[in-house]
Structure formats: structure tokens, C-alpha cells
Amino acid sequence: MTKKMKNLLFVCAGNTQRSPTFEIWFKKNRPQYNVKSAGTLYYSCQMLTKELLEWADIVYVMDLDQEMFIARKFPEFLGKVTVVGCNDDYQRESSLLFKLIEYWTKKNNL
């Protein structure tokens, strides 16, 4: 019997810097997970939707703004949400953000 792969959704504001970098890193370094990313702002590359939240087993939001957005718009999914604690000071695929992701994954046994 095969074990079901976990679906991880990473969410930030615009889906241009933080959450896509988490998605890229996980796809390269943790292939045992299905990974997607989304944003909460109307101009996001991939807007957060109910369908994405249904798909996800765990929703990792970068900061409290995204958690509050989900609490307002999709409260039924709040139980899936975990706050990463990554502020918006990083550029997409920057070495500093990759180091933060590596530290965070080790700390959280991912």
C-alpha cells in the first residue's frame, strides 16, 4: 500500500517572492510532497481560492496578514493554517530566503 503524498500550500501576499520560493525549494528538495503556492492580493500571480484550500492538507502562510485573510474569507479552512513567520524582506529565490527555508524545514521536521 502506498502512502498518500501530503499536499502543501504556501501563501503570501502577492505570490511573487516568498511563497513561490518555498514552492520551488520544496519541489527540488522535498519531492515527497505535492506543493503549490498562492497569494491573497487581487493581483497575485496565483490567487488563493477555495479549491486550493480544499486541495491542501496543510496551508503555510508567511505571516499573520494571510492568516487573517483566510479567517475572514475562508474561516472553514483556518484549522489547516500554520504561520511560518517569514516577513516580506526577501527577493524571490534569494540565497537568504533559501537559507531561511532550510532552517525552517529542519526545525519543523519537513
Side-chain angles (χ1 to χ4, degrees):
M1 181 187 290
T2 58
K3 187 178 176 185
K4 180 185 178 288
M5 288 177 68
K6 274 198 171 171
N7 297 334
L8 308 182
L9 178 62
F10 291 94
V11 180
C12 68
N15 190 228
T16 57
Q17 309 291 347
R18 296 171 291 171
S19 61
T21 303
F22 271 78
E23 180 180 4
I24 290 163
W25 189 92
F26 267 79
K27 284 181 176 178
K28 182 180 178 189
N29 296 287
R30 298 292 189 274
Q32 67 269 35
Y33 298 109
N34 292 314
V35 184
K36 294 181 181 181
S37 65
T40 57
L41 298 176
Y42 71 91
Y43 60 79
S44 298
C45 297
Q46 168 60 58
M47 184 68 186
L48 182 63
T49 63
K50 181 179 180 182
E51 291 75 24
L52 281 171
L53 290 165
E54 287 171 342
W55 170 85
D57 295 313
I58 305 171
V59 179
Y60 290 107
V61 298
M62 294 298 120
D63 56 49
L64 291 174
D65 287 339
Q66 291 88 47
E67 183 179 40
M68 291 186 313
F69 177 89
I70 293 171
R72 272 191 327 274
K73 297 273 191 184
F74 306 105
E76 66 272 26
F77 296 104
L78 206 49
K80 292 183 174 186
V81 173
T82 298
V83 178
V84 173
C86 177
N87 62 27
D88 202 7
D89 292 343
Y90 300 95
Q91 294 299 311
R92 182 179 182 134
E93 298 185 58
S94 72
S95 60
L96 280 175
L97 184 50
F98 281 136
K99 286 178 186 174
L100 181 146
I101 294 168
E102 288 174 21
Y103 174 81
W104 179 81
T105 54
K106 286 177 185 167
K107 183 180 171 198
N108 290 281
N109 297 313
L110 290 170

